Amino acid sequence: MARLGRTFAAAALTIWSCAWADERARVVEVTDGDTVRVRILDGTNREDKVRLLGVGAPETRKLKGKPPEPYGQEAKVCLRELAAGEEVKLVPSKPSH
């Protein structure tokens, strides 16, 4: 089951810009339940913020005066268990019109 979860997490990673399209990267930090920071594995050690495609996790911090949402920390812990330290392929999302 853990293997399946890792496969899902790796397949679901996408980036906001197409700058890293089809690049390999390693997850270096999980910032919340649907966002990670990755290090691009191209020899430059560049890092970028990556959002999970199709995942909307509860917020873990205050935003616009609203308190953190219920289960935000649990979502972050779950994603950390699935993706932290994993090598992933970054796939750009298709723009929606």
Side-chain angles (χ1 to χ4, degrees):
M1 184 64 158
R3 177 78 175 138
L4 177 61
R6 283 191 180 97
T7 301
F8 167 76
L13 289 177
T14 187
I15 55 178
W16 283 115
S17 74
C18 293
W20 311 123
D22 297 321
E23 291 280 349
R24 303 299 297 178
R26 183 161 315 277
V27 177
V28 295
E29 179 186 7
V30 175
T31 56
D32 65 19
D34 58 13
T35 310
V36 297
R37 180 160 282 289
V38 298
R39 180 171 296 124
I40 311 301
L41 299 177
D42 64 356
T44 64
N45 287 326
R46 292 176 292 182
E47 291 189 6
D48 204 355
K49 174 180 158 182
V50 176
R51 297 286 314 267
L52 294 177
L53 179 63
V55 176
E59 295 300 327
T60 58
R61 57 190 169 85
K62 283 178 114 175
L63 289 177
K64 299 178 184 174
K66 294 182 180 179
E69 297 175 330
Y71 302 105
Q73 284 299 331
E74 290 85 349
K76 181 178 179 177
V77 168
C78 183
L79 182 56
R80 185 180 300 132
E81 289 173 359
L82 290 172
E86 294 292 324
E87 185 175 318
V88 296
K89 180 179 179 183
L90 303 177
V91 179
S93 62
K94 295 181 180 166
S96 58
H97 299 314

